[in-house]
């Protein structure tokens, strides 16, 4: 319901991503966050604040599950119709049955002994934000079996 009240506007997803990764690197000095892709000129339609909220959910998971000392890569690829954002981390892969349930609310797959409790709604919220933007959010094990990749696909505005 909160999404319906958001103001929809055109914004540059490349500039947003580039700045986001830079800002998050300065906040998470013990992590290695890297951005690859254009730094401007890729326009999408929606709520930039909600896309940042989505990125925060994905980034937090990547930080929690990445192997120590490895990079988390945010990569923007584009074609004429869509912006494809890949967020990749190295670490454990996710068993297939869990992959199929990640976007269901109230379903956390974190180890029980984590210091901070997790309600399991972060990925559900991220998925809903992607859908609101006529986009698609996918999570899969990397093809090289070295970790996980989250893929956000958003239509490019004309």
């Amino acid at each position: 319901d909160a999404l319906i009240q958001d103001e929809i506007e055109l914004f540059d997803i490349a500039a947003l991503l580039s700045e986001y990764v830079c800002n998050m690197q300065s906040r998470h000095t013990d992590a290695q966050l890297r951005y690859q892709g254009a730094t401007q000129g890729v326009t999408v339609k929606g709520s930039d604040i909600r896309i940042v909220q989505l990125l925060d959910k994905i980034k937090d998971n990547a930080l929690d599950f990445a192997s120590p000392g490895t990079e988390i890569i945010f990569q923007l690829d584009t074609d004429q119709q869509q912006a494809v954002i890949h967020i990749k981390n190295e670490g454990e892969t996710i068993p297939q049955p869990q992959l199929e349930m990640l976007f269901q609310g109230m379903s956390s797959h974190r180890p029980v002994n984590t210091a901070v409790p997790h309600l399991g709604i972060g990925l559900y919220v991220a998925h809903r934000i992607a859908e609101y933007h006529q986009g698609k959010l996918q999570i899969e094990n990397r093809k090289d079996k070295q970790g996980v990749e989250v893929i956000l696909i958003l239509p490019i505005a004309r």
Side-chain angles (χ1 to χ4, degrees):
D1 289 339
L3 292 171
I4 295 169
Q5 299 172 9
D6 286 347
E7 188 172 322
I8 301 299
E9 55 192 17
L10 297 176
F11 65 94
D12 189 334
I13 191 70
L16 182 144
L17 275 169
S18 176
E19 184 177 329
Y20 177 83
V21 174
C22 182
N23 289 339
M24 290 303 108
Q25 180 61 73
S26 66
R27 286 185 56 201
H28 299 283
T29 55
D30 55 332
Q32 297 177 44
L33 306 176
R34 184 164 49 105
Y35 176 69
Q36 298 175 333
T39 57
Q40 62 183 0
V42 182
T43 305
V44 297
K45 186 176 182 181
S47 168
D48 57 349
I49 293 169
R50 295 299 179 182
I51 294 296
V52 168
Q53 183 182 11
L54 180 154
L55 292 171
D56 280 342
K57 305 288 184 204
I58 303 304
K59 179 248 328 155
D60 288 346
N61 279 340
L63 287 170
D64 288 347
F65 290 102
S67 296
T70 61
E71 284 187 320
I72 297 169
I73 299 170
F74 292 73
Q75 178 181 329
L76 174 63
D77 297 321
T78 61
D79 62 25
Q80 299 292 348
Q81 299 172 337
Q82 58 190 16
V84 182
I85 301 160
H86 305 265
I87 302 154
K88 305 177 220 178
N89 70 288
E90 290 184 30
E92 290 186 36
T93 57
I94 302 170
Q96 190 61 39
Q98 289 180 358
L99 274 174
E100 295 168 7
M101 298 180 357
L102 287 176
F103 296 128
Q104 297 175 6
M106 307 307 279
S107 137
S108 181
H109 301 284
R110 296 175 185 276
V112 180
N113 60 353
T114 56
V116 179
H118 289 271
L119 300 176
I121 60 172
L123 292 176
Y124 172 77
V125 169
H127 186 255
R128 295 299 305 241
I129 292 170
E131 286 180 334
Y132 177 73
H133 288 83
Q134 283 75 52
K136 183 176 181 182
L137 189 63
Q138 303 166 225
I139 300 177
E140 54 193 47
N141 291 315
R142 289 177 25 183
K143 290 173 183 41
D144 63 7
K145 308 278 191 243
Q146 298 298 310
V148 174
E149 179 174 6
V150 177
I151 303 163
L152 172 62
I153 302 169
L154 297 172
I156 291 180
R158 302 255 168 242

